[in-house]
Every structure is written in structure tokens, then in C-alpha cells.
Amino acid sequence: VQLQASGGGLVQPGGSLKLTCVATGVPRGNYAMAWFRQAPGKEREFVATVSWSGSRIVYSDSVKGRFTASRGSAKNTVYLQMDSLKPEDTAVYYCAADPLYTGIKDDYDYWGRGTLVTVSS
């Protein structure tokens, strides 16, 4: 199983970025895809999770109203549109996949390597 995240970079406060994660080799069956992030010196934290159909999405309170997660029509892709970015959003962003629709990090079996997002002027 491979999860490849892309789209990170340097952006000014108030700016936007869109992350993409593509999953390949996931065993047959429905699976949720999620985004987590890890800032320097901090624990990895939940950002958003999207159900297989894309109809159910949950966000952390810290990104609600600013970030939008979505599922691609091919189902093996998940996006994270990040708007109104703040310096505290700076982190490595990881995508994850699991048959269980959950926001709990330890429940996810499959992880990508992450993409760095830096919000700074």
C-alpha cells in the first residue's frame, strides 16, 4: 500500500494551498481517507477524515471553517483545500487510509510520508 501526498510548500499567512493524496495498492473494499499533521516538537494530530463515499467529513476544531477535505471521483484520492492559513498550521501533513471511518490516529493502518506546509511571511 502506498499513499503519496503532494502540494505542500511555503505560503504567506492568509494564503491558500491544496494538498492531494493518492492511494495505490489498498486491499479491496471501502476505506476512509484522512489527513493528520505534525508540527515540530508536537504529537501528530487529526485534521480531517473523509468517508468512502465522500458524504461524511469530520474536521478538527482548529481547522473547521478554513480547510475543506474532499474525495476524488476515483475514490483513491483525497484532497485538502487549506484557506486562511495561519503560522500555527505549519506542519508536515500526512494522509492515511483505513477501512474504519475514524479520527483516531492509532486506528489507521496505512500512512503516507507527508508533505511539508510552512506558513510564514
Side-chain angles (χ1 to χ4, degrees), residues 47-63:
V47 174
T49 185
V50 186
S51 65
W52 170 258
S53 67
S55 63
R56 291 185 294 163
I57 305 172
V58 174
Y59 298 95
S60 68
D61 288 343
S62 61
V63 307

Side-chain angles (χ1 to χ4, degrees), residues 17-20 35 47-48 67-69 78-82 93:
L17 277 178
K18 186 174 183 177
L19 306 183
T20 300
W35 290 98
V47 174
F67 291 11
T68 304
V78 66
Y79 304 99
L80 186 67
Q81 176 66 45
M82 305 185 294
Y93 283 71

Side-chain angles (χ1 to χ4, degrees), residues 35-51:
W35 290 98
F36 290 79
R37 67 185 182 185
Q38 188 167 15
K42 294 189 176 181
E43 293 287 320
R44 192 171 300 187
E45 65 174 6
F46 169 74
V47 174
T49 185
V50 186
S51 65

Side-chain angles (χ1 to χ4, degrees), residues 93-108:
Y93 283 71
Y94 297 89
C95 62
D98 197 84
L100 190 63
Y101 175 68
T102 173
I104 300 173
K105 175 186 63 174
D106 291 343
D107 285 341
Y108 281 85

